[in-house]
Amino acid sequence: MSFKRYIMHIDLDSFFVSVERLYDPSLIGKPIIIGGNAQRGVVASCSYEARRFGVHSGMSSRDAFKLCPHAISVRGNHERYSDYSKRVTKIIDEMVPLYQKASVDEFYIDLTGTDRFYDPYQLAAQVRQRIIKETKLPISFGLGSGRTIAKMATNRAKPNGQLFVPHGSEMAFLAPLPISAMPGLGESTCKKFYEYGIEKIGDLQKVQLRFLQTVFGKNGLWIYEKARGVDYGEVVPHSDRKSISTECTFGNNVSDRRTLETTLVSMTEELSSKLRRENKLASCLAIKIRFANFETHTQQEKIPLTAAEHILIPGIKNLLTKAWNQNRPVRLIGVRLSNLATGSYQINLFDDNERQLQLYQAMDKINFKFGDKTVCRAAGMNIGTRNFNPFMRD
């Protein structure tokens, strides 16, 4: 009996935009740009209506609004997107044997072996329909013999569609597509192919392996196989994240140390609360500073495992002292807690007492019930909850 792999790729179409439209139906059918402000952010996501004007993720907001000046700007809500991502993950976890969460809105699922009991394509369609039914989000998927074929099938199925590339038809499916559609094939590599008159994957399929190895070295075999739909990549099971971070791009460059410190304190407070909520501890803390000329510096230090703000905040302040230059205005600042481990916060016999632990437990309980920053340090009172936009990048 021949062994066939069935790999499914799921992509939540324009995920951030789709979530925003659930909360505000008036956004449906309109060009939407999510991420930062019109002058200093970048596009985290955009609607298909905005894409028709050439807008795409990663583009500066300034350029995006030049292409589509009538687009509606939405700052973005990390908590909403995280919540819907968890809902989708839960559904997938309940329905399939093995999956990998590649990002907040993208999944790989290994359905290999299910063909002994089910039609893999029907099972994939059932996963999609349940996600749509329970979340109201549009979703596309591709199914094929490997990760590359599955992802490219998803791209062909968008928006809100599904596509199965049967075994043995991989080369025919790929042939008419532009070489730029191949995941992992960079712009510079494509330009080199264009110089040889190779524009379609079908053209690439006719090229000899020896030529590819001569021009691209060890990557030659990789390109040769990808053009034929050969992909041995495994679906790696979902694993716990190893870090948590957030950052803030200021509307105007900041030179005042107190403002920077206050922002860092509030960010650290918010992150440490999330650590405790997820039963995590961090053993490394870091800050990132981007100056007005876009030069970026990071400072980090190892610490004993903790999720306590009264330990993390002094460390963050110390890192700011090392990184700050009073003569250089700051454009962006960020905090990252990493080397995470599962575990509850315990009393430090030398620094803490039972009252300190009870205080954290009470704060977390109130903030969980009534919303983040219902109770917080005085330093962060003037900074609103979730003021640190994870989609506002340079």
Side-chain angles (χ1 to χ4, degrees), residues 67-174:
L67 293 172
C68 188
H70 60 291
I72 299 173
S73 175
V74 178
R75 182 175 175 81
N77 188 310
H78 177 62
E79 293 297 324
R80 286 180 182 174
Y81 309 148
S82 178
D83 175 56
Y84 272 90
S85 180
K86 289 176 182 177
R87 295 188 200 184
V88 173
T89 304
K90 183 174 183 295
I91 294 171
I92 292 173
D93 188 62
E94 293 174 354
M95 294 189 70
V96 305
L98 178 64
Y99 72 95
Q100 176 183 348
K101 188 170 184 178
S103 68
V104 69
D105 59 352
E106 185 179 16
F107 301 80
Y108 286 97
I109 298 172
D110 193 342
L111 298 178
T112 304
T114 61
D115 53 325
R116 291 182 294 172
F117 310 100
Y118 309 100
D119 179 333
Y121 182 61
Q122 289 184 0
L123 176 58
Q126 289 171 7
V127 173
R128 174 175 177 253
Q129 288 304 319
R130 181 177 168 188
I131 293 172
I132 293 173
K133 180 180 179 181
E134 296 186 15
T135 68
K136 311 302 181 186
L137 294 171
I139 178 175
S140 298
F141 82 75
L143 182 68
S145 59
R147 292 168 59 111
T148 300
I149 290 293
K151 184 176 179 65
M152 295 178 74
T154 301
N155 292 335
R156 294 284 289 175
K158 291 180 180 180
N160 202 26
Q162 56 191 56
L163 178 63
F164 173 41
V165 179
H167 295 76
S169 66
E170 291 88 354
M171 288 184 66
F173 165 72
L174 294 171

Side-chain angles (χ1 to χ4, degrees), residues 344-393:
S344 300
Y345 175 67
Q346 301 294 326
I347 297 175
N348 182 316
L349 295 178
F350 297 100
D351 300 320
D352 301 347
N353 53 49
E354 187 175 3
R355 183 178 179 184
Q356 182 78 61
L357 183 60
Q358 291 174 343
L359 174 63
Y360 281 125
Q361 292 173 338
M363 286 174 58
D364 292 341
K365 184 176 181 180
I366 293 172
N367 288 331
F368 180 78
K369 184 174 182 179
F370 297 104
D372 289 342
K373 288 185 145 330
T374 300
V375 179
C376 68
R377 282 171 170 72
M381 288 293 289
N382 294 326
I383 300 178
T385 179
R386 290 182 293 279
N387 192 51
F388 320 110
N389 188 354
F391 313 111
M392 195 168 184
R393 301 280 195 257

